[in-house]
Amino acid sequence: MYDGLGMLLCIYLVVIVTAVSDYKQSLQFKDLDKEKKNIIVQVTRDGSRQKVSIYDIVVGDVVHLSVGDQVPAAGVFLSGYSLSVDESSLSGESEPMNVHQDTPFLLSGTKVQDGYGKMLATTVGMRTEWGRLMVTLSEGGEDETPLQLKLNGVETIIGKIGLAFAVLTFLALTARLVVEKSLHNKIMDWSGSDALEVLNYFTIAVTILVVAVPEGLPLAVTLSLAFAMKKLMSDKALVRHLSACETMGCAGCICTYKTGTLTTNDMVVKKIWICQKSIEIYNRNNEDVLKTSVSESVFDVRLQSIFLNTSSEVVEGKDSKKNIIGTPTKTALMDFGLLLGGDFNTYRINYMISRVEPFNTVKKKMSVLVALPARGQFRAFCEGASEIVLEMCDKIVNADGEAIILSRERRKDITDVINGFSGEALRTLCLAFKDIEGASHMDSIPDNGYTFIAVIGINDPVHPGVKEAVKTCLAAGITVRMVTGDNIHTAKAIAKECGILTEDGLAIERPDFRNKSPEEMKELIPKPQVMA
C-alpha cells in the first residue's frame, strides 16, 4: 500500500506543480500579449488629430501612417508621399508595394516601409484579411528546454541500462531456480510455490527498472526552473518560456539600442549654432536672445525649415492647449519653433508643399519642396544627419541673411561645432535650403547646391539607473554593447556616460565595420563596445 500510494503522490505532485506553474505563466502572458499588441496609433476623428489604441479604431477613422508603423486596419489611401508597404506577411511577396491613388488599398497587419500618408479605415478586426488569417492559426505547443531535452536523453539511457539489468537479473534468478531443480532431479516437478517464486523474480526485475528511472529528476528540474522564472519576474524580467532561464544564465553579451532604451526618448533642443554663433537654450525664457541674434530673413527661413519640413502637426486639445504629435526628434524641433514665436498653421497656409521625400534610415534626411507666395518661385528644405546635409551645401547664410560661399575653413568650423555638440552627448541635425525657379516639372528634390542654415543640438537624457544596470552586467561578466544610428561622437559621449565605453574600448561606424574582410571582422568582433 505504501509503495503504490507513494508513487501516486509523486505523480500527482509532478502534474500539479507543472500545471500550476504553466497556468500562472499563461495568465501573466495573456495580459502581457494584450498590452504588447495594444499599439497606439494617430487618427483624425471628429475633426481633430488624436492618439488611440489599435483596439479602438473604427470604420471611418483617418489613420496617419509613417515609416515602421503597422497598418492597424484595412483601408483606402487618401493622401501621402512615397508610401510603400511590406505585404510579405500576407502575400509572401518580398518586394514592397507602392501605394498611391492608382493602387490605393492597404491591408491590415502589413508594415509601412517608406514614406508617410493617411488612410481611411474601411474594415477592422476579424473582418480584415489579417484577422481571418489569425483565426485559422492556432498556437503551437511549447518546446522543452535544452536542459530538459538533455535529461530526457539521460533518462532514456538510464532506462535502457535499467531494462538490460532487469532482464539479466530475471534470467539469472530463473536460471538459478532451474539449475537447483535439476540438481535435485525435480526439473519436471513444478508447483504453485515455484510459479510464485518466478513471479517474485519478475517483481524484482520490474523494481530494478522502476528504481533505475529517476522519477524525481523532471520534478526537480521543473521546480528549479519555475523558481528561477519567479526570481526573474521579481527583477522585472518577464519570461514566457522556461528555457529563457537557462539561456539568460549563459548570456555573455548584451547588445542594446540607445534611443528609448538607454535614453528617455524625451527630446528637447539644447543648443543651436547659426550665423557663426552658438546659443544655449538653458530655459524657456531666452527666446529674445534667439530672435535678436540673427536678422529677420534668417529668423524667417529657420522657422520655414522647421514648420514646413516636418511630418509632425500642432493640434489643439480639448483644453485649448497646443499639443505636438509626431516623432520625438520632430516634436523637439516643432517645440523649438513654437518657442521662437512661430505659428505652424500660418506657415502651412501661406506656403504650399508640392513634393516630399520622407526621412528613412538609408538617406538619413528629409526633404520638402515648397511653392513660395511669389509666383513660379520654389524653395527646397533639407534636414537630417549633420555629415550628410553639410556635404550637400556649397553656401552658408551670414548674419545679414546673405548666402556666401562655404569655404573649406568654414566647413571645418561647422564640422568642429558638430563634433563639439556630439561630445556633449547632443544629437545633431543640420538645416539647409535651396531656392529653385520653375521646379514644378522636377521629378525629385535636388541633392546638392544647398545653403546651410544651422546646426541644432538635441538632448536626449539617459534613463536613471542605466549606469548601475551596466555596472551590474559588467560585474557579472556580461559585455554590454551599444548600437545606434547616431553620429559616432554623440554615441561615444552617451556610452561613456552610461559606463559602456571604457578607456581602451573601441567605437566604430557601421560603414567601416561593413568594409572589413571576413578575416578582419573575425578579429574585430569581440572588441567594439559602440557601433554608430
Side-chain angles (χ1 to χ4, degrees):
M1 176 184 142
Y2 297 127
D3 290 349
L5 201 61
M7 282 184 189
L8 276 173
L9 279 171
C10 188
I11 292 162
Y12 182 74
L13 193 61
V14 170
V15 171
I16 289 295
V17 167
T18 309
V20 169
S21 174
D22 286 352
Y23 180 66
K24 280 186 176 176
Q25 279 171 253
S26 69
L27 282 182
Q28 284 168 331
F29 275 91
K30 226 175 187 178
D31 295 340
L32 183 69
D33 272 351
K34 199 172 179 185
E35 199 58 43
K36 188 174 73 178
K37 290 171 186 168
N38 185 19
I39 302 160
I40 299 298
V41 291
Q42 293 178 26
V43 302
T44 298
R45 183 188 288 176
D46 299 333
S48 67
R49 187 162 164 176
Q50 51 194 276
K51 291 180 181 179
V52 299
S53 163
I54 198 168
Y55 295 119
D56 298 334
I57 287 179
V58 293
V59 172
D61 278 339
V62 174
V63 183
H64 298 256
L65 300 169
S66 56
V67 179
D69 286 352
Q70 181 177 316
V71 180
V76 183
F77 174 81
L78 293 177
S79 64
Y81 303 95
S82 312
L83 189 64
S84 66
V85 177
D86 176 15
E87 293 186 352
S88 58
S89 57
L90 280 176
S91 65
E93 182 58 56
S94 58
E95 283 297 310
M97 279 284 295
N98 293 317
V99 180
H100 41 77
Q101 299 294 352
D102 299 329
T103 54
F105 301 108
L106 288 137
L107 298 172
S108 173
T110 56
K111 288 270 195 324
V112 178
Q113 210 167 55
D114 199 4
Y116 64 87
K118 295 176 187 177
M119 68 166 247
L120 177 70
T122 56
T123 321
V124 295
M126 293 305 162
R127 290 176 180 272
T128 63
E129 195 64 37
W130 179 260
R132 283 201 288 268
L133 180 68
M134 288 298 107
V135 169
T136 60
L137 296 175
S138 57
E139 210 172 318
E142 286 195 12
D143 295 328
E144 290 183 304
T145 75
L147 181 61
Q148 285 171 330
L149 286 170
K150 283 179 184 175
L151 287 175
N152 285 345
V154 170
E155 276 186 59
T156 307
I157 292 164
I158 292 170
K160 284 176 180 175
I161 293 167
L163 181 64
F165 274 100
V167 169
L168 283 171
T169 305
F170 178 71
L171 290 172
L173 290 169
T174 308
R176 192 182 72 171
L177 179 66
V178 170
V179 168
E180 276 183 1
K181 287 186 88 63
S182 64
L183 286 172
H184 292 94
N185 297 318
K186 292 179 182 177
I187 193 75
M188 301 304 289
D189 185 15
W190 290 85
S191 62
S193 61
D194 292 331
L196 277 173
E197 193 75 17
V198 173
L199 188 63
N200 191 37
Y201 296 159
F202 182 73
T203 309
I204 291 166
V206 170
T207 307
I208 290 170
L209 187 60
V210 170
V211 170
V213 177
E215 272 294 318
L217 198 57
L219 174 65
V221 171
T222 306
L223 279 172
S224 63
L225 289 174
F227 280 123
M229 192 178 77
K230 211 168 180 186
K231 179 77 174 72
L232 281 168
M233 283 186 163
S234 69
D235 291 340
K236 295 187 176 66
L238 288 163
V239 183
R240 170 127 209 189
H241 299 287
L242 287 177
S243 57
C245 304
E246 291 176 46
T247 314
M248 286 171 78
C250 305
C253 168
I254 293 173
C255 288
T256 172
Y257 192 53
K258 179 186 79 68
T259 310
T261 306
L262 298 175
T263 60
T264 59
N265 205 17
D266 185 15
M267 300 191 190
V268 60
V269 175
K270 202 79 179 168
K271 266 188 172 184
I272 181 167
W273 183 89
I274 190 165
C275 302
Q276 312 291 320
K277 293 175 192 168
S278 183
I279 304 160
E280 188 164 353
I281 296 114
Y282 50 85
N283 61 36
R284 311 299 291 167
N285 304 316
N286 63 335
E287 61 261 37
D288 292 337
V289 179
L290 295 164
K291 287 175 186 174
T292 55
S293 58
V294 293
S295 68
E296 198 160 321
S297 59
V298 176
F299 183 77
D300 188 47
V301 82
R302 176 172 59 184
L303 285 180
Q304 286 175 27
S305 179
I306 290 169
F307 288 133
L308 299 173
N309 190 14
T310 183
S311 55
S312 296
E313 277 185 40
V314 178
V315 295
E316 203 167 290
K318 289 175 182 174
D319 53 357
S320 300
K321 190 183 172 187
K322 284 183 177 176
N323 298 314
I324 303 165
I325 295 179
T327 61
T329 308
K330 297 286 183 190
T331 303
L333 280 174
M334 292 283 273
D335 189 41
F336 177 59
L338 294 175
L339 172 70
L340 295 172
D343 183 12
F344 173 77
N345 293 324
T346 304
Y347 278 94
R348 282 300 174 100
I349 292 163
N350 293 340
Y351 298 87
M352 198 183 90
I353 295 170
S354 61
R355 190 171 283 108
V356 175
E357 285 182 4
F359 180 90
N360 68 31
T361 51
V362 178
K363 294 181 285 192
K364 291 189 182 289
K365 65 180 176 69
M366 179 179 179
S367 304
V368 65
L369 188 64
V370 177
L372 299 177
R375 198 169 180 80
Q377 292 284 320
F378 287 84
R379 182 171 283 171
F381 290 100
C382 181
E383 161 205 305
S386 309
E387 322 79 67
I388 289 164
V389 175
L390 182 58
E391 197 63 40
M392 292 163 60
C393 297
D394 55 17
K395 297 186 201 71
I396 184 171
V397 286
N398 64 11
D400 302 321
E402 297 167 354
I404 56 173
I405 295 295
L406 186 58
S407 63
R408 190 176 288 178
E409 290 76 25
R410 287 194 183 103
R411 196 178 286 273
K412 188 183 178 301
D413 289 345
I414 295 170
T415 306
D416 291 342
V417 168
I418 292 165
N419 293 341
F421 278 20
S422 302
E424 294 173 41
L426 298 176
R427 172 181 279 192
T428 59
L429 289 175
C430 287
L431 308 179
F433 77 98
K434 179 180 183 175
D435 285 324
I436 307 164
E437 284 197 25
S440 54
H441 65 278
M442 294 177 74
D443 295 328
S444 61
I445 301 169
D447 278 343
N448 52 29
Y450 280 79
T451 302
F452 192 87
I453 305 171
V455 181
I456 290 177
I458 298 173
N459 183 35
D460 186 9
V462 172
H463 269 298
V466 164
K467 201 167 185 179
E468 290 72 24
V470 171
K471 261 186 191 171
T472 306
C473 288
L474 295 174
I478 299 168
T479 309
V480 182
R481 306 179 202 275
M482 187 175 92
V483 184
T484 176
D486 266 355
N487 173 305
I488 193 160
H489 301 289
T490 309
K492 281 164 81 172
I494 288 176
K496 278 179 183 169
E497 194 180 331
C498 296
I500 293 171
L501 186 63
T502 54
E503 290 299 319
D504 56 342
L506 177 66
I508 190 168
E509 288 180 318
R510 186 188 66 87
D512 295 346
F513 181 74
R514 275 283 182 210
N515 292 333
K516 305 281 183 194
S517 67
E519 290 76 26
E520 288 174 317
M521 272 193 187
K522 204 170 180 182
E523 197 178 318
L524 189 72
I525 279 167
K527 297 173 187 172
Q529 292 172 338
V530 175
M531 191 170 282

